[in-house]
Amino acid sequence: MKHVLSVDQFSERDIDTIITCARGLRKMRHRELTGALTGKVLACVFYEPSTRTSASFIAAMTKLGGQVIPITQGVQFSSVAKGETLEDTVTTLGQYADAIVLRHPETGAVARAAEVSPVPVINAGDGTGEHPTQALLDLFTIHEEVDRPLADLTVALVGDLQNGRTIHSLAKLLARYKTRMLLVAPPALAMPESLVSRLVDAGSEVQEVSLEEAVEASDVVYMTRVQKERLANPADATAPFILTPELVERMRPESRILHPLPRLAEIPTSIDADPRAAYFRQVKNGLFVRMALLTLVLQ
Ligand code: NCD
């Protein structure tokens, strides 16, 4: 059984395997792909809104010749609306599906589901906890866009570092490679102390800086939105950090802008045409990385 719950479970070799597999799948033609997961069924169960994660898992499964049970349009149309527990829903879906992709608003809920699931469970985001498949596609994108070892890179993490699960997973993953990280967040949304200590203990240099300093010093500027729906105090949502065209001008030509999306005001659309804006290429990479993960989990 190969649940995908946290980036902590992957060895560096696992990560290399996933990246190599994703690169291979990207090169393959339609006909070569469709045999890979014929007859396999994936249940996609989302207790929270999603566009990219759900759509890319469905596209990945379909391209590999498998089928999907999509409970992505709102669990209000499933027995969850009747009060069914997460455990019972997952146990049930495990009778039909060969794997379950699960997103849930509660940190730890996906791990709880994995304990009772008869089939592998893939964490598609659990509250403010983790989003391991996003971190893998972020890492894949950094490899594709910046042709230097991760140990030599400086990555700026910008926005809601307290509640952003993509940030939490990516930071843990980068710390394994001792990547230098610059943190840019309003004080109310700073990265949890425990996570900062973990990154430092793993050997990463971590510094809190201003956005101006970060754009000039970073190889990758990873923007995120404020997770309004998760804030205990809605007043913390004010004044997001905005990557203005003036700030982008101060970035090096070979640096890159990433964002897990959805973006709100933090990246104006006028930046999209800049070659440094890599967030829609990052979206595309999500398809290949999720194809790789499904192949490795289901074959
Ligand atoms: C993120 C998420 O759901 O955590 N979206 C995604 O999966 N790409 C980021 C977010 O919601 O801000």
Side-chain angles (χ1 to χ4, degrees), residues 52-53 103 131 134 165-166 225 227 230 260-262:
R52 277 148 291 269
T53 308
R103 170 171 288 186
H131 195 345
Q134 178 72 41
R165 57 196 174 198
T166 72
R225 75 181 172 97
Q227 305 273 306
R230 306 190 204 281
L261 305 180

Side-chain angles (χ1 to χ4, degrees), residues 9-288:
Q9 75 187 72
F10 298 120
S11 66
E12 282 176 34
R13 233 183 105 192
D14 293 334
I15 296 165
D16 288 345
T17 304
I18 294 163
I19 288 177
T20 308
C21 183
R23 283 197 178 124
L25 288 162
R26 182 176 52 186
K27 284 201 218 101
M28 283 163 81
R29 275 189 299 267
H30 173 68
R31 253 191 299 147
E32 301 171 287
L33 291 173
T34 50
L37 295 181
T38 307
K40 299 284 187 191
V41 174
L42 179 71
C44 285
V45 192
F46 284 66
Y47 287 71
E48 268 191 356
S50 166
T51 298
R52 277 148 291 269
T53 308
S54 57
S56 63
F57 266 113
I58 293 170
M61 193 64 187
T62 309
K63 280 177 182 282
L64 293 165
Q67 303 279 319
V68 179
I69 301 171
I71 306 187
T72 53
Q73 300 303 320
V75 286
Q76 69 267 28
F77 297 116
S78 74
S79 284
V80 171
K82 302 179 187 170
E84 187 169 57
T85 63
L86 174 64
E87 283 83 351
D88 282 359
T89 298
V90 163
T91 304
T92 300
L93 291 167
Q95 313 304 318
Y96 313 135
D98 301 288
I100 298 170
V101 172
L102 178 63
R103 170 171 288 186
H104 198 280
E106 235 173 86
T107 306
V110 180
R112 220 173 68 223
E115 275 173 34
V116 299
S117 175
V119 297
V121 173
I122 299 175
N123 182 0
D126 64 323
T128 60
E130 280 221 35
H131 195 345
T133 69
Q134 178 72 41
L136 289 167
L137 79 89
D138 294 341
L139 197 76
F140 180 84
T141 304
I142 295 173
H143 277 299
E144 293 298 302
E145 297 280 338
V146 188
D147 195 18
R148 274 165 48 218
L150 291 168
D152 299 346
L153 298 186
T154 299
V155 174
L157 302 173
V158 185
D160 188 347
L161 308 188
Q162 180 179 66
N163 301 299
R165 57 196 174 198
T166 72
I167 290 280
H168 300 162
S169 287
L170 179 61
K172 288 183 198 171
L173 209 51
L174 291 174
R176 289 161 168 260
Y177 300 93
K178 307 195 188 326
T179 305
R180 179 171 173 240
M181 284 177 254
L182 302 179
L183 309 183
V184 186
L189 303 177
M191 184 177 277
E193 268 309 316
S194 55
L195 179 54
V196 176
S197 323
R198 248 194 75 159
L199 306 179
V200 173
D201 291 345
S204 277
E205 188 191 321
V206 181
Q207 261 176 284
E208 287 181 17
V209 299
S210 67
L211 186 54
E212 287 74 17
E213 290 170 280
V215 292
E216 285 175 4
S218 302
D219 302 287
V220 174
V221 178
Y222 189 95
M223 300 293 297
T224 63
R225 75 181 172 97
V226 172
Q227 305 273 306
K228 268 200 189 117
E229 70 277 28
R230 306 190 204 281
L231 298 184
N233 179 6
D236 294 343
T238 54
F241 285 104
I242 297 180
L243 190 63
T244 59
E246 294 70 38
L247 284 168
V248 175
E249 275 318 300
R250 291 161 72 167
M251 288 176 61
R252 294 192 294 261
E254 67 280 10
S255 295
R256 292 292 180 266
I257 305 161
L258 267 60
H259 194 309
L261 305 180
R263 72 158 143 202
L264 302 176
E266 61 277 354
I267 304 181
T269 52
S270 62
I271 290 171
D272 296 358
D274 191 296
R276 289 167 287 197
Y279 30 91
F280 287 111
R281 298 194 288 277
Q282 184 183 1
V283 168
K284 183 85 197 197
N285 291 337
L287 177 65
F288 306 122

